[in-house]
Amino acid sequence: MPSSNRFVGEAGNVAIMFALLLPLICLAAGGALDFQRRHEQESRLQAFADTLALRGAREFLLANADARQIEALVEAVAASELASRYGVGAFSLDVRVNARARDVTVALSEAPKSALMATFAPSFRDHVGVDATATASGGANVCVIALDSSGAGAVDAAWNSRLDAGECALLSNSTSSTGVQASGSSKLIGSLICSAGGYFGPSGAFEPSVTTDCPVTEDPLETREPPAIGGCDHQDKMVGDRNSETFKAALEASFGEMKQGAPEMARQDHTLDPGVYCGGLAIGSNASVTFNPGVYVIKDGPFVVDLNGRIAGDGVGFYMSGDDATFLFSPDSKIDLSAPKDGLLAGILFFEDRRAPAGRTHSILSNDARTLLGTFYLPQSTLLVSTISPVADQSAYTAIVARRLKMMGSPTLVLNTDYGLTDVPTPDGVGPVGGEVFLRD
């Protein structure tokens, strides 16, 4: 019996001891859970901060990054649904932008999600805070890529032409000793002028000086899928009256033989829809045409806007299909176009069929073509700009990927880089390219 009482006493002691230790065991388990919960909260908050900092620093790869705009952008991104994807609840945000160092620092804090430890440890009652700093390095803008591999004057400015791409690079793939040319009083301006071969022209015609023997730039849009072409929606479409004498005068005007435009005629307003325009599309001299958003396939015929014709369209892209599909915008026509924001032609205003014969010419002769927002992709052809007025100067950005770029007469072709002012995207390989964004320790 004494032995039995001893065992009973020992069991009772164990029970008493367990009862005494149970709160400590629960506290330890709860504390471990709180430590884990806090660590997970810090990790999620840190990942969110890293993402915001990188997103802000990426803006420094654009030519016109502004500290206040970057702060506003980061705040807008933080206020989006992104926080919930990281499991972050209500938080406070502080954004600091150092434009000189190209740094963006994001500080985030969130109320603690621990419960038990907050009762015993004051530090667990404090908000969870993290910060992240991201830096942008390198980067450039590309506005012109001339794809011709061997011809003279792949980029050619003649007479009194001016190409102003001050924040953008001009690249020529021609290995010719005169792959880049400027004659007369012409001038080429860019952040970089790079020729795979050489150049011709006085030193004052280039700003900065031409860099020679540059590496060849691959066609950045070579793998871009063209739109599908269905059956014809229109055949030999003509909008308004086509005046052959007026059209002839328009062509003469491109070579300075006509001092004044044709007289103003009564306007006829028209609206066109996306589709396949077989045999081309002609806009008459008295027509004012609005293009509804979408893709226009110009098939087996030219796209011509006569003298005094007017066209306008937001979110429009033109696919030039077939041997005879070229565009010509006559003097004293008015052109106001911006490229699609999404779809196969996102960011592309004109897309030339890659199977087209080499050596064709697409012509901008219009003295009122100030909004050409998007990219000209003409891999087989020359883009000719011959006007007496600025071209594309009111566009947020304009980029050109063509076999050749030729300017003659007295045009001023302006290639802006205000990418942040538009939601029309820049296709990969033009606009801001290169550079990197990384997190700093």
Side-chain angles (χ1 to χ4, degrees):
M1 291 298 292
S3 176
S4 176
N5 289 336
R6 181 170 62 82
F7 286 134
V8 170
E10 289 177 354
N13 290 337
V14 170
I16 292 171
M17 183 66 69
F18 181 75
L20 292 174
L21 292 176
L22 182 60
L24 295 178
I25 293 172
C26 292
L27 180 61
L33 185 62
D34 273 359
F35 272 109
Q36 180 181 356
R37 185 181 292 117
R38 188 176 182 89
H39 175 71
E40 291 176 351
Q41 183 181 5
E42 287 181 347
S43 296
R44 290 194 298 269
L45 202 62
Q46 186 66 61
F48 185 37
D50 291 348
T51 297
L52 293 177
L54 289 168
R55 180 65 183 86
R58 193 174 298 122
E59 293 298 296
F60 281 117
L61 298 182
L62 304 181
N64 301 288
D66 176 86
R68 286 174 294 182
Q69 291 176 349
I70 293 175
E71 288 178 11
L73 172 70
V74 173
E75 290 169 357
V77 173
S80 69
E81 297 179 356
L82 188 63
S84 62
R85 299 179 194 173
Y86 285 91
V88 176
F91 61 88
S92 63
L93 169 69
D94 180 47
V95 182
R96 298 185 299 277
V97 178
N98 185 335
R100 182 179 294 275
R102 304 178 89 192
D103 284 348
V104 175
T105 299
V106 172
L108 289 173
S109 65
E110 185 184 19
K113 295 182 179 180
S114 59
L116 184 61
M117 289 300 293
T119 304
F120 300 97
S123 62
F124 273 72
R125 295 194 291 269
D126 295 338
H127 276 57
V128 178
V130 300
D131 61 72
T133 299
T135 299
S137 175
N141 298 315
V142 173
C143 285
V144 173
I145 302 176
L147 299 173
D148 189 342
S149 63
S150 59
V155 176
D156 187 2
W159 302 358
N160 192 33
S161 302
R162 182 181 178 92
L163 174 54
D164 190 349
E167 300 293 338
C168 230
L170 314 176
L171 310 178
S172 168
N173 283 349
S174 175
T175 57
S176 166
S177 61
T178 56
V180 174
Q181 294 185 162
S183 58
S185 301
S186 297
K187 187 155 191 173
L188 301 178
I189 302 171
S191 61
L192 171 70
I193 306 174
C194 212
S195 173
Y199 70 94
F200 171 80
S203 59
F206 306 103
E207 185 181 319
S209 299
V210 180
T211 300
T212 58
D213 300 316
C214 292
V216 169
T217 303
E218 297 296 327
D219 179 351
L221 298 174
E222 187 175 16
T223 60
R224 188 71 168 264
E225 285 293 324
I229 301 175
C232 299
D233 297 300
H234 305 275
Q235 183 67 50
D236 301 325
K237 180 71 173 179
M238 183 178 298
V239 180
D241 298 328
R242 188 75 183 272
N243 185 322
S244 61
E245 291 301 318
T246 299
F247 182 62
K248 180 180 178 181
L251 294 178
E252 292 175 349
S254 68
F255 298 99
E257 296 179 15
M258 191 172 108
K259 303 303 182 183
Q260 297 180 346
E264 187 74 17
M265 303 172 68
R267 293 266 164 226
Q268 297 177 6
D269 293 331
H270 304 268
T271 300
L272 293 180
D273 293 316
V276 180
Y277 289 74
C278 292
L281 173 61
I283 308 300
S285 57
N286 61 336
S288 181
V289 175
T290 299
F291 290 95
N292 283 326
V295 174
Y296 294 76
V297 177
I298 310 299
K299 186 174 186 293
D300 298 329
F303 175 24
V304 176
V305 183
D306 269 347
L307 195 70
N308 279 332
R310 297 182 179 181
I311 62 172
D314 289 326
V316 297
F318 298 88
Y319 181 60
M320 314 301 291
S321 173
D323 292 359
D324 298 322
T326 58
F327 63 78
L328 187 152
F329 302 147
S330 303
D332 287 342
S333 63
K334 180 176 176 61
I335 314 297
D336 189 337
L337 300 172
S338 64
K341 301 172 185 176
D342 50 32
L344 288 175
L345 263 61
I348 300 181
L349 199 54
F350 287 90
F351 188 141
E352 178 183 62
D353 186 346
R354 299 186 183 94
R355 298 167 299 178
R360 304 185 310 174
T361 298
H362 300 269
S363 302
I364 300 175
L365 312 181
S366 170
N367 290 313
D368 195 352
R370 308 189 70 177
T371 301
L372 295 169
L373 173 53
T375 302
F376 289 82
Y377 181 47
L378 310 170
Q380 296 290 80
S381 299
T382 296
L383 177 61
L384 170 65
V385 181
S386 181
T387 71
I388 58 174
S389 300
V391 174
D393 63 312
Q394 295 180 1
S395 311
Y397 83 86
T398 304
I400 298 167
V401 179
R403 183 178 177 85
R404 302 165 64 89
L405 172 62
K406 183 176 181 61
M407 302 172 60
M408 59 187 302
S410 301
T412 298
L413 175 58
V414 180
L415 303 179
N416 291 319
T417 54
D418 298 323
Y419 307 115
L421 300 183
T422 179
D423 50 4
V424 175
T426 54
D428 290 342
V430 297
V433 299
E436 61 177 341
V437 177
F438 56 91
L439 291 167
R440 281 174 43 193
D441 295 332

